[in-house]
Amino acid sequence: MMSEEANQMLVVYDDPSDQRSLSLDENSSTEESAEETRLSLETSNDTVPYIGQRFPTHDAAYEFYSEFAKKCGFSIRRHRTEGKDGVGKGLTRRYFVCHRAGNTPVKTSNESKPQRNRKSSRCGCQAYMRISKVTELGAAEWRVTGFVNHHNHELLEPNQVRFLPAYRTISDTDKSRIIMFAKTGISVQQMMRLMELEKCVEPGYLPFTEKDVRNLLQSFRKLDQEDESIDLLRMCRNIKEKDPDFKFECTIDSNNRLENIAWSYASSVQSYEIFGDAVVFDTTHRLTAFDMPLGIWVGMNNYGMPCFFGCVLLREENLRSLSWALKVFLGFMNGKAPQTILTDQNMYLKDAIAMEMPTTKHALCIWMIVAKFPSWFNAVLGERYNEWKTEFYRLYNLESIDDFELGWTDMVSTFGLHTNRHIANLFALRSLWALPYLRSHFFAGMITTGHSKAINAFIQRFLSAQTRLAHFVEQVAVAVDFKDQAAEQQTMQQNLQNISLKTGAPMESHAASVLTPFAFSRLQEQLVLAAHYASFQMEDGFLVRHHTKLEGGRKVYWAPREGVISCSCHQFEFSGILCRHALRVLSTANCFQIPDRYLPLRWRRISTSPAKLLQSSPSDLSGRIQLLQGLVSTLVSESAKSKERLDIATEQVSILISRIREQPVSSQGLRDISPILGNL
């Protein structure tokens, strides 16, 4: 039983003339049973509203009631205002109600407009505080004339109530800090962690959430779309004026608004000329603030590091826009299509590639497929999920198509997945993702887990929070420049490393002098393993198998006169690195050097001749400086291999510097080169 005092707190009126039942909507009711209600947490008298309590303004009354509500475990909102005699002759009465007051109105369905299916928190709660305006001796004030603290729902604990929207606030200081973080390109999660550390609060105890930060950033981005388009196009045109080799294309819709835009850089086009044989086109991300799908073309250079080829923003992700994106990309790259392209499981993109790149082998990124496995199969398989995943990887890595298909049938039967739609879909698309179907195509190693992580981390640099759409182009440029510089440093570090020869075979030392350290380490692994294999000459080639095996093996065809060798495992076709089986046959045939065609240009230390680069961009000062940096890097790496080489290099470079200093320096040249050097 409630005490008499507590009952008086539920509904109290000070003046019969002001007694009005609060009806929040037509479905609301002031009658609730004791089982359906809960009295709010008791607080001291000076913090509990009471009839006759006075406030100088209605805002002061609202703040007081809001603080009371927060301590009790709910929040409030302004509900209704009334003028004198209900006619509107000045504001005379206000109602503040619980945030769960009222009921959700029924929306009329509109088939042409999609409806958001959001669950409402309103449940017809009748808790409220009413204030009325009183004027005495010419001074106006507000008094509490009605107060109900009767809730038909559970109240929140202190550690929960702070998550209600009414109590989540971002101060002006914090807003400025967030905008500054956004401009530096860090993620919202990183912003939250930094601010927690700065304010010395436990994780999750800031007065706002990640969602609030994202909404704040979005509010800055939601500018007039036409202005955004104008700024973005102006940005691209300004870059084009400064750098004639910068490439961009766009489409404008019938309302003269930006529809799609794609761009690339001179350095990206040069990289693509050598490393554009295998490309990842990632379209799985969106710039959510602008609701635009984002596509990024990425490849792998000769040092095993991701390189940027191009970027596209689309208004919609459909066959028309994706076909346009691919066509523009080919235009950027002088019409050269990649040998292979890796994408997400997107049927529009599959059809677009078939139309625009008919000679390119399309495959699906296995890491993008595997990332969906937990949501697809965890609940279905339960405790057998890990066992199934192990079997999936075994099938994925098989060499024979027949073995794969037989194994798949057994796997489906063993795990009872006959009716699973994801399994059926994966099998239907098996030629696009399973290795037995892809081994004869070159993918530069980008299918492996390690490289997939590097590519994903590279792409994440483009997805940082932005305050303006135009700034995204700048952010991409900064990320590409940063990655280029980081790649240059890693390249120099690789070249300075002392390469340790493990077999002593002439083929090994020859490959070490030609290939980059990254590519050589892959070949060296195969050279070491080749010593464990035996080769048997047959009429149509060689049979190569491990020395412990009595059956099986790989078929190797070797034509010495033509310098052609091939293996049934197709590793060279797949990765550009000769397999242990082929290397074993070359060793048996007394070959002391690997045939030139099996040391591909894309894996060599010097990707192309300096003369060719100079001829291709005679007016590109930035490109010439980058070329010089590459030559200096090669000079250092080659000279560091012996004292004699260092002595020669030091002597010749000293002579070269003296000759360069004799050449005149123009003031225009200094002006042109200063900003370039500042960015290096």
Side-chain angles (χ1 to χ4, degrees), residues 140-154:
E141 64 180 9
W142 293 82
R143 294 181 185 176
V144 177
T145 57
F147 174 56
V148 172
N149 204 31
H150 189 202
H151 297 267
N152 67 346
H153 56 89
E154 290 292 319

Side-chain angles (χ1 to χ4, degrees), residues 595-650:
D596 194 61
R597 70 175 66 186
Y598 299 108
L599 298 173
L601 183 66
R602 66 125 44 240
W603 292 134
R604 297 193 181 199
R605 287 177 179 268
I606 301 176
S607 300
T608 188
S609 68
K612 183 178 178 181
L613 276 179
L614 287 171
Q615 291 169 5
S616 64
S617 55
S619 61
D620 183 3
L621 185 59
S622 176
R624 287 172 176 261
I625 292 175
Q626 290 178 4
L627 172 61
L628 179 60
Q629 284 186 312
L631 293 174
V632 171
S633 174
T634 304
L635 173 68
V636 172
S637 62
E638 291 296 325
S639 302
K641 293 179 179 179
S642 70
K643 180 180 180 300
E644 291 74 20
R645 288 188 176 191
L646 273 174
D647 291 342
I648 295 172
T650 303

Side-chain angles (χ1 to χ4, degrees), residues 27 502 608 639 665:
N27 301 317
K502 297 180 179 179
T608 188
S639 302
V665 177

Side-chain angles (χ1 to χ4, degrees), residues 194-230:
L194 284 171
M195 297 184 81
E196 285 167 354
L197 293 171
E198 289 175 352
K199 295 176 180 293
C200 298
V201 301
E202 293 293 323
Y205 274 79
L206 288 171
F208 48 84
T209 64
E210 283 190 26
K211 183 179 179 181
D212 298 323
V213 174
R214 296 184 193 280
N215 289 339
L216 173 69
L217 293 173
Q218 188 170 355
S219 69
F220 280 94
R221 297 162 179 152
K222 279 190 173 178
L223 304 173
D224 184 83
Q225 288 296 317
E226 292 185 10
D227 290 342
E228 280 286 284
S229 301
I230 292 170

Side-chain angles (χ1 to χ4, degrees), residues 189-318:
Q189 287 182 333
Q190 291 171 323
M191 292 182 199
M192 297 292 288
R193 186 55 184 148
L194 284 171
M195 297 184 81
E196 285 167 354
L197 293 171
E198 289 175 352
K199 295 176 180 293
C200 298
V201 301
E202 293 293 323
Y205 274 79
L206 288 171
F208 48 84
T209 64
E210 283 190 26
K211 183 179 179 181
D212 298 323
V213 174
R214 296 184 193 280
N215 289 339
L216 173 69
L217 293 173
Q218 188 170 355
S219 69
F220 280 94
R221 297 162 179 152
K222 279 190 173 178
L223 304 173
D224 184 83
Q225 288 296 317
E226 292 185 10
D227 290 342
E228 280 286 284
S229 301
I230 292 170
D231 287 346
L232 179 58
L233 291 174
R234 184 185 295 119
M235 171 72 70
C236 289
R237 287 173 183 139
N238 288 342
I239 297 174
K240 183 73 174 177
E241 288 179 5
K242 297 176 182 177
D243 180 7
D245 293 318
F246 173 73
K247 298 176 181 290
F248 82 96
E249 292 286 343
C250 64
T251 60
I252 307 297
D253 66 12
S254 57
N255 295 319
N256 203 33
R257 294 185 305 167
L258 179 67
E259 190 176 32
N260 307 307
I261 185 167
W263 67 94
S264 184
Y265 306 95
S267 60
S268 300
V269 176
Q270 290 179 2
S271 294
Y272 183 86
E273 181 65 27
I274 304 165
F275 309 120
D277 41 16
V279 173
V280 173
F281 185 32
D282 190 332
T283 58
T284 59
H285 307 284
R286 296 178 74 89
L287 291 188
T288 53
F290 312 108
D291 196 29
M292 297 185 76
L294 169 68
I296 300 177
W297 287 278
V298 183
M300 185 72 68
N301 71 10
N302 53 341
Y303 283 83
M305 290 175 282
C307 52
F308 174 86
F309 292 144
C311 197
V312 62
L313 282 170
L314 307 171
R315 183 177 297 175
E316 294 182 8
E317 194 174 7
N318 53 34

Side-chain angles (χ1 to χ4, degrees), residues 477-547:
V478 169
V480 170
D481 184 60
F482 175 86
K483 193 64 184 180
D484 286 346
Q485 292 184 39
E488 183 65 30
Q489 292 176 358
Q490 292 181 44
T491 297
M492 186 174 292
Q493 289 174 1
Q494 281 192 34
N495 287 332
L496 287 174
Q497 291 175 357
N498 290 323
I499 293 177
S500 174
L501 301 181
K502 297 180 179 179
T503 68
M507 277 194 298
E508 184 184 20
S509 58
H510 172 236
S513 66
V514 175
L515 300 177
T516 64
F518 167 79
F520 173 70
S521 67
R522 302 302 185 272
L523 181 68
Q524 190 179 51
E525 291 174 4
Q526 297 300 314
L527 279 166
V528 171
L529 291 171
H532 298 269
Y533 283 74
S535 64
F536 305 93
Q537 188 163 8
M538 305 174 69
E539 291 183 3
D540 56 348
F542 291 82
L543 177 67
V544 180
R545 62 170 172 246
H546 197 271
H547 73 94

